[in-house]
Amino acid sequence: MKLRVLTGITTTGTPHLGNYVGAIRPAIAASLEPGVQSFFFLADYHALIKCEDPDRIERSRLEIAATFLACGLDTQRVAFYRQSDIPEIPELTWLLTCVTAKGQMNRAHAYKAALDANVAAGEDPDAGISMGLYSYPILMAADILMFNAHRVPVGRDQVQHIEMARDVAQRFNHLFGQRSDLFVLPEAQVEEAVAMLPGLDGRKMSKSYDNIVPLFDGGAEGLKDAIARIVTDSRLPGEPKEPEGTTLVALYDAFATPAQRVAFRDELRAGLGWGEAKQKLTTLVEAEVAPMRARYAQLMSHPEQIEDALQAGASKARAVAKPFLEQLRRAVGLRPMLATPASGALHLQGHAPSVVIKPALPVFKQYRETDGRFFFKLAAANGELLLQSRGLADAREAGGWVKRLKTEGATALDAAPVALADGVDRAAVEDALAALVASQD
Ligand code: TRP
């Protein structure tokens, strides 16, 4: 199997520079590596956990899809889809929910943060906490395990969720993967250098802190204005500055080559003013963002093209998800009740070991030999041959005898053109016929 890389973006907001650097860019870069099969999706079911504003959900899905496409996602190479277009994901979520320890979910960061905030505020610990928030890591595990992703590019804040997905996968494999593992154990891929881009105030860049640098919103002006608001110390131009640990340099690093990084630090140490440094940062970021911004504008004016791309992506993803979910359903015991007529027994086709259920009844079979004559035979429920007919010239004659034996039982036995199979005693045949007669009622 090719290396599978998968990542999702929750569709509640408008992508900002932190999303681009931390998730979108590394994901697209990874998708271009040879030997990689990528799955990128809009985590819109996750969005419903945080957001009860339908218009915002709709808008965000569109913006995020347009962003991925504008940033160079190649939909020929990548399965690019909406989570909510894949019904197998919520179904898998349930299978995983049933093997996930509640105690483990109690420890999930997002839930714990909400809980702690309630406690700190003197509220009921569960105030405002939905089951969606509580179970969030299981849905995320399903996103990942559904496609047996090996690598999951995420921000550092998501690493715990990937570990939970591994745990759930391991438990599921242990319980249901009798012959071989069902799930690949995924690994988080955090871009160490730029995993968590700081926002304007130095905290993690996040809409909830109101400290973001927009990616496309507001155009070149918006980018420049945001960068101008980056908090710095009050050193004046000409004064040496310590570059390490500053927000400005962290942002610069995210777009710079190693040589540019060194040069920028040297300049700051030599007294480059913060204002000028911000201009350099703006120029650097703009060079990468401007062409993508133009494509983004084009796409946003053609939402139907985005819809088409996502539908095509959903078909690709479901081509993987559907058969795999069927395998998983069987593994847990949700199996079709199918007869395999050849053996005379019923086989429930499932994940190995397959379950064989003895049917209550023996079976008559009629067939024609290559010499043109018609035969029938009676097999016990376990497949053992009980009776074998002689060859008959007429299919209707054969059918007639089968019918008589089924309805009259052993009383028709002596007249019928049949012989007991080798080693079978007559009592066994009489019992079998009696069972058939009884079943006619
Ligand atoms: N929870 C992730 C976030 O908020 C988004 C997400 C949902 C995701 N499902 C995923 C990321 C699966 C990677 C893999 O960033």
Side-chain angles (χ1 to χ4, degrees), residues 137-312:
I138 313 179
L139 176 59
M140 187 158 159
D143 292 333
I144 297 167
L145 302 180
M146 184 82 265
F147 299 100
N148 266 333
H150 302 92
R151 263 210 259 153
V152 185
V154 284
R156 205 183 302 283
D157 59 327
Q158 296 292 318
V159 170
Q160 187 199 33
H161 294 143
I162 313 299
E163 278 159 10
M164 288 176 160
R166 285 175 72 90
D167 285 349
V168 176
Q170 245 159 350
R171 180 154 172 73
F172 199 95
N173 284 344
H174 170 67
L175 288 169
F176 304 117
Q178 268 90 353
R179 278 217 190 131
S180 61
D181 284 350
L182 294 158
F183 291 130
V184 164
L185 305 185
E187 278 182 43
Q189 182 199 3
V190 179
E191 281 241 326
E192 282 304 329
V194 288
M196 220 184 251
L197 207 62
L200 301 177
D201 57 359
R203 292 184 292 172
K204 178 198 172 187
M205 189 182 290
S206 161
K207 191 160 177 228
S208 45
Y209 295 150
D210 194 23
N211 67 355
I212 64 150
V213 177
L215 178 57
F216 300 136
D217 253 13
E221 274 306 298
L223 181 69
K224 187 167 159 240
D225 291 350
I227 289 175
R229 285 187 286 123
I230 292 175
V231 176
T232 62
D233 65 27
S234 52
R235 272 167 236 257
L236 299 171
E239 284 186 70
K241 298 170 186 67
E242 176 47 50
E244 294 312 332
T246 64
T247 303
L248 198 75
V249 169
L251 287 173
Y252 193 89
D253 282 354
F255 292 85
T257 64
Q260 286 174 316
R261 288 177 200 167
V262 172
F264 195 55
R265 282 167 170 73
D266 288 348
E267 287 179 294
L268 283 166
R269 289 201 176 97
L272 179 72
W274 287 124
E276 241 185 290
K278 285 177 177 178
Q279 271 170 27
K280 281 180 185 269
L281 172 61
T282 305
T283 306
L284 183 71
V285 177
E286 180 67 11
E288 184 165 330
V289 168
M292 303 188 299
R293 189 191 291 126
R295 285 197 294 272
Y296 179 78
Q298 168 71 19
L299 283 160
M300 287 299 281
S301 59
H302 289 285
E304 75 287 355
Q305 291 175 4
I306 301 175
E307 179 68 31
D308 283 352
L310 290 170
Q311 293 293 348

Side-chain angles (χ1 to χ4, degrees), residues 6-10 41 43 46 50 136 140 143-144 152 154 158:
L6 174 144
T7 198
I9 291 211
T10 306
F41 67 97
H46 278 90
K50 300 193 210 168
Y136 172 117
M140 187 158 159
D143 292 333
I144 297 167
V152 185
V154 284
Q158 296 292 318

Side-chain angles (χ1 to χ4, degrees), residues 11 13 15 42 56-69 80 82 296 299-307 310:
T11 54
L42 308 178
R56 188 160 147 219
I57 298 277
E58 181 190 27
R59 173 126 200 111
S60 174
R61 297 198 315 170
L62 184 65
E63 288 176 346
I64 292 177
T67 300
F68 265 93
L69 296 171
F80 182 52
R82 279 173 294 217
Y296 179 78
L299 283 160
M300 287 299 281
S301 59
H302 289 285
E304 75 287 355
Q305 291 175 4
I306 301 175
E307 179 68 31
L310 290 170

